[in-house]
Amino acid sequence: MDMKPRLGDWQQMSFSMSGTCPHCLNKAVFYKVAGDSHQIADTSKGASRNEFRVAAIMRCAGCSEYILGIVMIALPVGTNGQIFYEAHYPVGRPDETVADEVPEHIKPDFREALRCIWVEAYNATAEMCRRALESACIDLGAPKDKVLEKMIDWLESQRKITPYLQEAAHTVRLGGNRGAHPPEDGPSAPSTTNAHAPIAGPVEKIEKEHAEAIVQFTREFFHHVYVGPKLLGKYDFSKPKGEP
């Protein structure tokens, strides 16, 4: 949440907001178009200050779309008042950006993972990253008749991925396993392949930080196997100057 309110004419309960527009996703200012207020505290009744909850229809100065902004305006006696952000709707939408170089049949699963983390569905995030990773392993030529653990190790043995990417992939795999099973049924022992156990072991529940790490490792895997090679092919400085 980066939306910040600014109090205008407190007698008219007018205010503006600035922040990321949930429609155009640009930084913008929002101006009140119409609204209503409700007094929830009154100094005449013993409260320390007059407080008003104000809801307003607001318009983005950039794209002209509308939001609902809700603030609290406090009017201590003898001052111009203070304003506090409460909420705005819609709050936005997830950034589902996936590199263009990632194959089209793999993108939907990773985009679903990004939507899941947006709504705090962390187990589902881990599962969908694992699914996207498995599709990538198959796309890179790993044997389809093997479990994902063996696919990852096969890719490293064929030097299609580095040892670092091997461990990153196993982290995503184990995180997806943990997200798919209750703690008592999930993997509780480290993998016997190298040190593939950043997620297995002490982590009994996929929390926000774990889901974010799994998403990051998945992005890095895709970058190294899909994005990087295409960039190298695009920028070839080995040819003599002037040669196409």
Side-chain angles (χ1 to χ4, degrees):
M1 294 293 185
D2 64 348
M3 199 71 75
K4 296 180 179 179
R6 182 174 182 178
L7 186 60
D9 184 348
W10 63 269
Q11 292 179 319
Q12 299 296 321
M13 294 294 163
S14 66
F15 66 96
S16 61
M17 281 187 170
S18 61
T20 301
C21 176
H23 301 290
C24 65
L25 301 181
N26 293 317
K27 295 289 185 180
V29 177
F30 300 82
Y31 295 103
K32 180 179 176 182
V33 176
D36 194 13
S37 63
H38 172 66
Q39 187 167 7
I40 60 176
D42 187 347
T43 54
S44 67
K45 297 180 181 180
S48 60
R49 60 185 182 180
N50 297 316
E51 293 183 350
F52 298 84
R53 193 163 189 254
V54 186
I57 298 173
M58 311 189 79
R59 192 174 188 179
C60 173
C63 69
S64 298
E65 288 294 337
Y66 296 91
I67 68 168
L68 174 66
I70 303 174
V71 298
M72 183 73 70
I73 297 178
L75 302 175
V77 177
T79 73
N80 290 331
Q82 295 175 291
I83 188 168
F84 304 93
Y85 168 87
E86 282 207 356
H88 71 280
Y89 303 95
V91 295
R93 59 181 186 269
D95 181 357
E96 298 180 28
T97 303
V98 182
D100 292 338
E101 293 81 1
V102 176
E104 290 300 321
H105 69 282
I106 296 175
K107 288 179 180 178
D109 285 341
F110 191 49
R111 287 192 176 122
E112 186 169 334
L114 298 176
R115 291 194 295 272
C116 288
I117 199 170
W118 172 256
V119 297
E120 301 180 2
Y122 302 131
N123 286 324
T125 301
E127 289 184 71
M128 293 311 300
C129 283
R130 184 193 186 284
R131 180 181 167 108
L133 172 70
E134 184 167 356
S135 294
C137 288
I138 294 172
D139 183 67
L140 293 170
K144 296 180 180 180
D145 60 342
K146 294 186 180 297
V147 296
L148 181 54
E149 180 177 10
K150 300 302 182 183
M151 288 184 187
I152 295 169
D153 292 341
W154 183 88
L155 290 174
E156 194 280 331
S157 71
Q158 300 299 307
R159 302 187 68 181
K160 290 178 176 286
I161 61 174
T162 64
Y164 164 72
L165 288 183
Q166 180 188 24
E167 290 208 29
H170 279 300
T171 298
V172 175
R173 174 183 66 83
L174 290 168
N177 290 349
R178 183 56 49 89
H181 302 285
E184 61 270 21
D185 295 331
S188 58
S191 168
T192 57
T193 309
N194 293 340
H196 309 152
I199 292 296
V203 178
E204 293 297 329
K205 180 181 179 183
I206 299 296
E207 302 285 2
K208 179 181 179 181
E209 64 174 304
H210 306 127
E212 289 176 342
I214 291 167
V215 167
Q216 183 60 33
F217 282 126
T218 306
R219 279 196 190 279
E220 289 193 25
F221 188 92
F222 290 162
H223 180 83
H224 284 280
V225 302
Y226 293 123
V227 182
K230 289 195 175 182
L231 287 177
L232 286 174
K234 181 178 179 181
Y235 300 104
D236 185 358
F237 302 113
S238 64
K239 296 179 180 180
K241 185 177 180 181
E243 183 177 323

